[in-house]
Amino acid sequence: MKFDKSTNQKISLAMGILSFFAAFVLFQGDTWGFSPLAKQIFSSITGTISLVNMYFFGSTAEKIKNERSEK
């Protein structure tokens, strides 16, 4: 799929924020006593991120890098 630069950057930013949120929840799960739930949330979010990456045929960050080098 071909998208303009801003779309790839938005997708990349969204996946980065989701990754940060998933890691934050996982690390805080032990501290706040909801470790099993934190692991489920982490698994769900990382699974979603993987599906998005597969749908767009790879890392959007790599696509952004390639677009910048083509200039």
Side-chain angles (χ1 to χ4, degrees):
M1 283 187 197
K2 290 276 187 173
F3 293 105
D4 62 351
K5 291 182 214 178
S6 63
T7 304
N8 281 342
Q9 291 173 351
K10 288 176 186 175
I11 292 169
S12 181
L13 179 64
M15 287 197 292
I17 290 170
L18 278 174
S19 296
F20 172 79
F21 178 73
F24 179 79
V25 168
L26 183 64
F27 295 140
Q28 293 302 314
D30 290 332
T31 304
W32 292 98
F34 60 94
S35 183
L37 178 61
K39 289 177 184 176
Q40 288 178 339
I41 292 170
F42 179 79
S43 297
S44 297
I45 291 174
T46 54
T48 303
I49 290 170
S50 298
L51 290 174
V52 169
N53 269 332
M54 286 173 43
Y55 181 76
F56 290 108
F57 302 110
S59 172
T60 55
E62 186 66 27
K63 291 178 184 179
I64 292 168
K65 180 182 164 188
N66 289 339
E67 287 174 356
R68 288 181 181 166
S69 66
E70 288 175 358
K71 284 185 176 181

